[in-house]
Amino acid sequence: MRYSSRVKPISFLKANAAEILSDIASRREPMLITQNGEAKAVLQDVASFEETQETLALLKLLALGNRDIEAGRTRPAREVLKRLREKKTSA
């Protein structure tokens, strides 16, 4: 996706807010808003924003897992499964 075609000044946003929101929701592409020629904000539909947040959460979990691996804070899967089975039978 080329963001250069989705750059609009804040005055355009003010004059066309309803149309822009509809366009963003239907196309599911963000729009960059400028003020005095500088990028100031990104408008994004809610569904895309939620997907982005979920993706970031998964990436954070992966990064934390990689840190645990590097630090040696891991256990073999067999050991973990055995412990879980023992907990299940004792409960």
Side-chain angles (χ1 to χ4, degrees):
M1 160 184 1
R2 303 196 123 233
Y3 291 111
S4 60
S5 65
R6 307 281 295 161
V7 176
K8 302 291 181 194
I10 196 165
S11 58
F12 184 82
L13 172 64
K14 290 177 184 178
N16 303 286
E19 178 186 328
I20 290 170
L21 292 176
S22 176
D23 177 62
I24 288 171
S26 65
R27 293 176 69 171
R28 298 201 60 190
E29 293 179 0
M31 180 176 287
L32 182 70
I33 303 299
T34 63
Q35 186 175 33
N36 298 323
E38 293 182 32
K40 292 292 182 178
V42 176
L43 292 180
Q44 183 178 31
D45 66 283
V46 173
S48 295
F49 176 77
E50 288 172 343
E51 288 174 6
T52 300
Q53 293 304 304
E54 289 171 7
T55 300
L56 289 172
L58 288 172
L59 289 171
K60 186 173 184 175
L61 287 173
L62 288 171
L64 291 171
N66 283 337
R67 284 188 201 153
D68 285 343
I69 290 168
E70 291 169 2
R73 293 186 300 255
T74 60
R75 291 193 175 137
R78 285 186 180 139
E79 180 183 317
V80 173
L81 291 172
K82 179 182 175 188
R83 195 174 103 228
L84 290 173
R85 286 186 191 111
E86 289 170 357
K87 277 186 174 182
K88 186 177 178 182
T89 58
S90 66

